[in-house]
Amino acid sequence: MAEIIIRKLRKEFGDFTAVESSSFTVADGEFFMLLGPSGCGKTTTLRMIAGLELPTSGEILIDGEEVSRRPASRRDIAFVFQMFALYPHMNVRKNISYPLISQGMNRTDVNQKVLEVAKILGIEEILDRPVSGLSGGDRQRVALGRAIVRQPKCFLMDEPLGALDAEFREHMSGELRELHDRMGATTVYVTHDQREAMQMGDRIVVMNQGVIEQFGTPQEIYEYPATMFVADFIGFPPMNFLLFSAKLEAGITRLNLEGQEIGIRPLGQAAEGSLALGVRPENVSFNDQSAYKGQVETTEYLGTTQIVTLLTSNGPLKARLPAKDKVREGEIVGLSFREEAVALFDCDTGRSLSMPSLETT
Ligand code: ATP
């Protein structure tokens, strides 16, 4: 298996820059997610790693070798797409064995490899069935089987579960992660689904408009978003932003908002102008003693919790509270925030002021 190093990778299509200057390293055996909204450049990045798209500039190293100008067939990678293209006239066994037969492997070894893979994927029973009658999940397993049977240096997956319904998708994402843990294969996985990225990934790159916004573990990205874009893109509901204007000294850990002292993560630098206090809904609580007030607009019952939408003098705010708490629409309540989780952002640059910006280039 292999480490993948991406250095200052850029892709232009005519006047349009799809990927600006991406740099990141995928560790050997890592399950690595490229996450972002539609059009942010994640598929283009993956296609450049695969060798299906030539970079405008930059370097791609797989297992220590510079491959950015090398054709896809000579990179020893396997690509799994959303639309798992199987050969409809062949049965499952033939579909999985096809890459090995194309390599000229002898029949005994092919049969053994196909059996091993079928066992890993739990599809021994359907090896002799035609692929045309299979369910979506089984078809996806066969496509995975065809990808893993060659034991390539790494796997590149582009929304491989995108065509499945929500329930089955959840199931398959668990299966895929388990499969990865058993095989330990370096995997780069593209998705626009933050839940999928958080559940499955060891580390995540969050992209926006061709630029890497942040790079880190799911927990780092959730708890310490480097930008307002990441804070808004990750989390459901996303992070709240309470907007205000102020001049603040570097290093402060408390600020006064509407007469209430609010603890914040240490401010890394002095700040002035339009700022946003970022707080996740689960870090908001009701507190009679607090001078910081909000008026309840709506409540949304979710079983064990409820999402309460309030209006404050700094904008709307969502709180996630236990479902059993009695909340009345229209009531005015005092609010407090879990101090160690409250971040501050510069609204002009969109960057967090509460932590050092992460090195991505
Ligand atoms: P999606 O999930 O919608 O595919 P994405 O993040 O994977 O989104 P890309 O497919 O990488 O995005 O596309 C990034 C941008 O580059 C988009 O604006 C897209 O229209 C553009 N683009 C991609 N391929 C080409 C191409 N061959 N020619 C011109 N523009 C392209």
Side-chain angles (χ1 to χ4, degrees), residues 13 16 18 36-45 53 158-159 190 192:
F13 293 110
F16 177 73
S38 180
C40 71
K42 48 197 191 303
T43 293
T44 305
T45 303
E53 202 77 74
D158 192 354
E159 307 249 10
V190 159
H192 67 275

Side-chain angles (χ1 to χ4, degrees), residues 42-54:
K42 48 197 191 303
T43 293
T44 305
T45 303
L46 197 74
R47 286 174 60 81
M48 287 192 279
I49 301 173
L52 301 173
E53 202 77 74
L54 261 187

Side-chain angles (χ1 to χ4, degrees), residues 29 317 353:
L317 176 82
L353 299 164

